[in-house]
Amino acid sequence: MYPLELLETRLTIQPDEYRSILHALWRIVSEEGVLELYRGLAPSVIGVIPYAGVNYFVHDSLRSLYKGCSKTDRVGNIQTLLIGSLAGAIASTSTFPLEVACKHMQVGALKGRVVYKGTLDALRGIAKERGLKGLYRGLGPSCLKLMPAAGLSFMCYEALKHTLLEEELV
């Protein structure tokens, strides 16, 4: 599925270059090669592991904190939605530089852009060119997109888990 992310990035950055997704796919493969569809894959894959770890750790920690503060064993759906959203935002913030490196690598072959040799080269280059702030450019919109998705995901997971465990006890 990763080539679709690259296509999305290219279509967003170069809207006048491509007529459609298929046109973009054909041009990228014919002009830059099939491997170009996977440019930036490494930081994307590397970022998934710490993102998931931080996301679940923060979610579980906030649930435990909520239970302790409210002196209850049950966390409601709205609270789970909010806790999951916050966990997603924290996880995204902690791994966002890898997402930025991925995007920079995806557009690296475009006219006038720096082509990075790898993930560390991209992170160093972005930090050198734009400072630490450059590694977090775009974090706000990313969190606005991700927070509801993470919150809903945890809310559905907890509701389903509760339903299944309740039926198992009967």
Side-chain angles (χ1 to χ4, degrees):
M1 298 310 296
Y2 185 79
L4 292 174
E5 186 176 329
L6 180 116
L7 289 168
E8 174 192 9
T9 300
R10 293 283 188 96
L11 288 166
T12 301
I13 291 174
Q14 298 178 293
D16 298 332
E17 289 287 319
Y18 309 109
R19 293 186 302 269
S20 67
I21 293 172
L22 289 176
H23 180 246
L25 178 65
W26 179 81
R27 282 215 24 222
I28 291 167
V29 170
S30 65
E31 294 173 11
E32 302 171 52
V34 174
L35 290 179
E36 187 65 23
L37 295 173
Y38 295 92
R39 180 180 295 279
L41 179 63
S44 185
V45 170
I46 292 167
V48 167
I49 296 166
Y51 173 84
V54 170
N55 199 22
Y56 285 107
F57 173 77
V58 171
H59 174 261
D60 290 347
S61 298
L62 291 175
R63 278 180 63 81
S64 295
L65 182 65
Y66 176 81
K67 286 178 179 181
C69 290
S70 65
K71 298 184 182 8
T72 182
D73 284 339
R74 179 117 163 85
V75 180
N77 287 337
I78 299 300
Q79 291 86 352
T80 299
L81 177 71
L82 295 173
I83 288 168
S85 295
L86 184 56
I90 292 169
S92 181
T93 302
S94 68
T95 60
F96 197 72
L98 290 167
E99 182 68 24
V100 172
C102 173
K103 295 295 183 196
H104 276 260
M105 290 172 74
Q106 286 177 340
V107 298
L110 303 179
K111 298 172 197 140
R113 299 255 186 195
V114 177
V115 177
Y116 297 107
K117 294 175 187 140
T119 305
L120 289 177
D121 185 39
L123 291 169
R124 273 193 292 264
I126 296 162
K128 185 178 178 183
E129 183 185 328
R130 298 187 176 175
L132 191 58
K133 271 177 93 172
L135 293 172
Y136 288 92
R137 188 177 178 111
L139 178 62
S142 178
C143 281
L144 287 175
K145 175 182 88 170
L146 186 130
M147 287 175 66
L152 286 169
S153 178
F154 277 116
M155 189 176 79
C156 291
Y157 167 77
E158 292 294 337
L160 186 59
K161 183 173 81 170
H162 178 73
T163 301
L164 291 174
L165 290 176
E166 196 172 88
E167 286 193 15
E168 195 174 282
L169 296 174
V170 175

